[in-house]
Amino acid sequence: MLARRGYKKTDLKLEVGFSTVTIAKLSKGESVTTDTILRICERFDVQPGDIMEYVPDED
């Protein structure tokens, strides 16, 4: 979504105020807080389903 809108990770960090750790977690697909998801949704006026998907474990 960032690339489609012409944003870089550093832009998101500066505009939304995320830490470097949070940006790294987003980049790696690791768990982030619901507050982080909320802040992204508010900034880009999207719903959570627009920026993430459920991928079941391979167990």
Side-chain angles (χ1 to χ4, degrees), residues 10-58:
T10 53
D11 297 327
L12 186 63
K13 180 181 173 188
L14 294 172
E15 285 188 29
V16 184
F18 288 151
S19 69
T20 303
V21 173
T22 299
I23 295 295
K25 285 182 176 184
L26 289 167
S27 297
K28 296 176 185 177
E30 294 179 0
S31 296
V32 294
T33 65
T34 52
D35 181 60
T36 297
I37 296 166
L38 173 66
R39 290 166 61 188
I40 293 170
C41 290
E42 287 175 341
R43 170 60 189 91
F44 293 103
D45 192 30
V46 296
Q47 293 295 311
D50 297 330
I51 60 170
M52 58 187 206
E53 67 178 321
Y54 170 72
V55 179
D57 289 338
E58 294 184 16

